[in-house]
Amino acid sequence: MVLQNPEINDLWHFAAQFWEDFYKKDCEMVFGEAAWAGKLITAKCIYSALEIKSSAVHQAIEGDHLVQHYTGIGEDFSLEVAEEIGTRWKQPLG
């Protein structure tokens, strides 16, 4: 995998954080309307909101996890981290 976008870390982190913040959360708490009571935010809702496919969301979550693992606290995303992620990234099938 070759990272072509210098902001990829920020994009991955945003998608991962969005997933964590909203997946399976109560819609009433998010939207503040009683009409949504008892309904949960689904994965499909998140894919639609982010306008990306499920595989891209899960790759972003995995990428963010790897960046957090290989980057120390307060350190910037570096070429060394990108290379390590590249060695662990699975190529798509087909």
Side-chain angles (χ1 to χ4, degrees):
M1 176 182 88
V2 177
L3 297 176
Q4 298 177 359
N5 186 336
E7 289 88 27
I8 194 70
N9 182 38
D10 294 335
L11 296 173
W12 282 346
H13 185 70
F14 174 79
Q17 190 65 51
F18 194 92
W19 180 269
E20 185 177 322
D21 289 347
F22 292 104
Y23 182 59
K24 291 190 176 180
K25 298 295 191 275
D26 188 331
C27 291
E28 182 179 13
M29 292 187 73
V30 174
F31 299 114
E33 296 180 19
W36 292 99
K39 297 180 181 175
L40 300 179
I41 295 176
T42 64
K44 188 175 179 180
C45 292
I46 292 174
Y47 306 146
S48 177
L50 295 177
E51 295 182 353
I52 56 179
K53 295 185 179 192
S54 63
S55 59
V57 171
H58 295 291
Q59 285 175 350
I61 292 167
E62 180 181 357
D64 184 60
H65 173 74
L66 290 171
V67 168
Q68 299 302 320
H69 181 76
Y70 289 106
T71 303
I73 296 172
E75 292 180 16
D76 289 331
F77 184 69
S78 67
L79 181 58
E80 184 178 284
V81 173
E83 288 172 353
E84 182 63 33
I85 291 171
T87 65
R88 295 174 180 268
W89 203 266
K90 296 176 185 160
Q91 295 296 322
L93 301 173

